[in-house]
Each structure stands twice: as structure tokens, then as C-alpha cells.
Amino acid sequence: MSTAPQPSFRLLPGDADSPVLLHVPHGSRTIPEEVRGGILLDDSALERELDHITDSHTAELAARAAESCPLRPWSYVNALSRLVVDPERFPDDREEMRAVGMGAVYTHTTHRERLRGPDFDQHPLLERYFHPYARAMTEAVDARIAATGRAVIVDVHSYPSTPLPYELHGTGPRPPVCLGTDPFHTPPELRVLAEAAFAGFGGTGIGSPFAGTYVPLKHYGTDHRVTALMIEIRRDTYMSEPGGPPGPGLDALAGALAGLVRSL
């Protein structure tokens, strides 16, 4: 875990004519010192939790894919751990993961232990980190629409090969690549392109163990110019679990992601 001061997100420019925005929300282990003070875990327990909760090496995977595309996609990367805030959660009662203490600000760990105290005030974290992240992501999507007439969000995640106690839907299939879709924002042709791009890794599945995809609330359910797909990669396909180094699968998966981007 690093506690060095960091900006909360990075927008990495792509080509002006690219509609694609690679979104990497859960790949960092960085926790600012002022946020670390509100976490109950000792340092060793926190490192173990970061091993489980971080989508390790997904930023590197997205960067390698972007570099190999003739028309470079844009990338929006969370520079902080999701233990600071989770930018992909609803910040209110619409979020089902609040049932296990994992809404926009987590109060519990992957093993359902206390992460923050029962009287913890989440609003300063939402104001400092969550809302600025959401605004900047919305602006990035608006910029792709202004430049190209559309925006394609490809949400890059990973997940453990064995279910963790926090998972609400962990009893279903755990394919090498899980695709998360949205009935409004994921047209069938986008799903088909992703299935073809990732066909060589032992199979893809839809919506299990994780479903849905990220779209800024400004556009969610109303703007057909914004299409989106979540790519959830099972971690044993490219790294040593739970938080170890990447393996040779990382390059192959980056190539598959690049192939999907090129097809878009």
C-alpha cells in the first residue's frame, strides 16, 4: 500500500477521432494518509484486504492495449484504491452492495469484517473524491460525444477465481471472462464483438458473477449515443492470486482488449 499524495484520477489522452474510453476504476492500492486514519485495520490486515479487493494490473493491461491500437483510445484511470471511495457505486439507497457494507464508501471488508467504525461520516469522502471523479468522467464522455458523435465505455475489471464472502451473486458461473451489460447501453453487436475478441481464453459468460456496466448518471438510461460494456477478467488467467505479480496471460489479454477496441 502506498500513502503518497496522488490525484484521484487520470485522463490519458487518445486520438481525437476515437470514441472509446477505457475505464479502470479499481486497479490502484493507493490510500491517502488522511483516509488511512479512518480505516480500522492494522497495516498487515489492510495489505491483505487490498490483495483481495484490488483489480491488480488492470491499469497496465489497459495501457498495453491502448498503446497497440492504431487509433489510440482514451483512458480514465482511478489513481486511488476503491477503499477510499468506489466510483462505480450509486451513492445512495439504489446501491445493492450497501447490504454488505460496500456502497460508495465501504464500511466492511471482502470478508464482512468492519473496515470503518459504525459512526463514520462518509460525506467528506464523497465530496472530496466521489463527486469530482463522477463529474470528470461525465466530462470525458461528453468530450468523446462532441468529437465523434458517440462514446463507447469499456469498463476494465478483474475478479477472483474463488468467491469472496462479500459477493451477493457468487454462486453462479465464474468464466475466464465475464461480460457485464446494460439493457439500454449495451447493444447486441457490442457484446458479440467482445465475445469474439476474448474467445481464446476458455469461454466468456454474461452477468455472472458480476453484472452491469458503468455509465455516468447524466447519460444513464437516456442517451443512446453512450454505449458501454464491462470486461471482468478472472484473475487466475493472468496473475498469481490474491495480489501477486502478473503472468504471461496479461499480454494475451491486452491483445484481446486491443482487438476489441480496434473493432469499435
Side-chain angles (χ1 to χ4, degrees):
M1 179 192 69
S2 169
T3 57
Q6 295 283 338
S8 59
F9 50 82
R10 299 189 301 272
L11 178 63
L12 306 178
D15 286 307
D17 293 335
S18 175
V20 179
L21 189 62
L22 298 179
H23 183 215
V24 187
H26 295 157
S28 176
R29 297 172 69 98
T30 298
I31 299 175
E33 192 63 45
E34 66 270 18
V35 180
R36 173 67 180 96
I39 292 175
L40 301 177
L41 305 179
D42 63 28
D43 287 348
S44 61
L46 179 54
E47 289 295 334
R48 289 194 298 273
E49 180 62 14
L50 287 167
D51 286 344
H52 290 297
I53 200 64
T54 305
D55 291 353
S56 298
H57 316 298
T58 49
E60 181 180 357
L61 189 155
R64 292 188 187 186
E67 289 168 2
S68 67
C69 291
L71 191 68
R72 188 185 182 99
W74 295 66
S75 298
Y76 191 88
V77 181
N78 188 1
L80 301 180
S81 169
R82 63 197 291 193
L83 296 184
V84 180
V85 296
D86 190 331
E88 294 215 312
R89 304 286 200 239
F90 288 113
D92 51 36
D93 290 338
R94 288 173 293 178
E95 180 52 61
E96 69 168 354
M97 293 302 293
R98 286 168 67 101
V100 291
M102 296 183 118
V105 177
Y106 295 179
T107 59
H108 289 71
T109 71
T110 52
H111 289 73
R112 303 203 180 191
E113 299 166 343
R114 268 281 171 190
L115 181 72
R116 294 181 167 98
D119 298 325
F120 184 83
D121 182 5
Q122 68 174 348
H123 292 96
L125 291 182
L126 293 175
E127 291 301 318
R128 170 66 180 85
Y129 298 108
F130 184 92
H131 296 307
Y133 187 104
R135 285 193 295 268
M137 180 65 174
T138 301
E139 291 170 1
V141 170
D142 284 340
R144 292 302 87 224
I145 294 173
T148 71
R150 63 192 179 108
V152 185
I153 302 169
V154 179
D155 215 15
V156 183
H157 292 258
S158 71
Y159 75 97
S161 58
T162 301
L164 291 169
Y166 83 95
E167 295 183 25
L168 294 179
H169 310 288
T171 59
R174 302 180 82 82
V177 178
C178 164
L179 304 178
T181 64
D182 179 87
F184 187 93
H185 291 283
T186 311
E189 57 268 26
L190 177 54
R191 177 181 55 79
V192 169
L193 289 172
E195 289 173 333
F198 290 95
F201 296 92
T204 59
I206 305 293
S208 176
F210 298 100
T213 189
Y214 180 83
V215 175
L217 290 177
K218 173 184 176 180
H219 306 280
Y220 184 67
T222 60
D223 194 341
H224 281 292
R225 296 174 299 174
V226 180
T227 57
L229 181 77
M230 179 171 68
I231 309 293
E232 285 271 6
I233 301 166
R234 203 178 65 208
R235 292 175 189 158
D236 63 344
T237 64
Y238 74 93
M239 63 172 285
S240 298
E241 296 184 87
L250 188 71
D251 283 333
L253 285 161
L257 181 58
L260 172 61
V261 171
R262 286 193 293 270
S263 72
L264 299 174

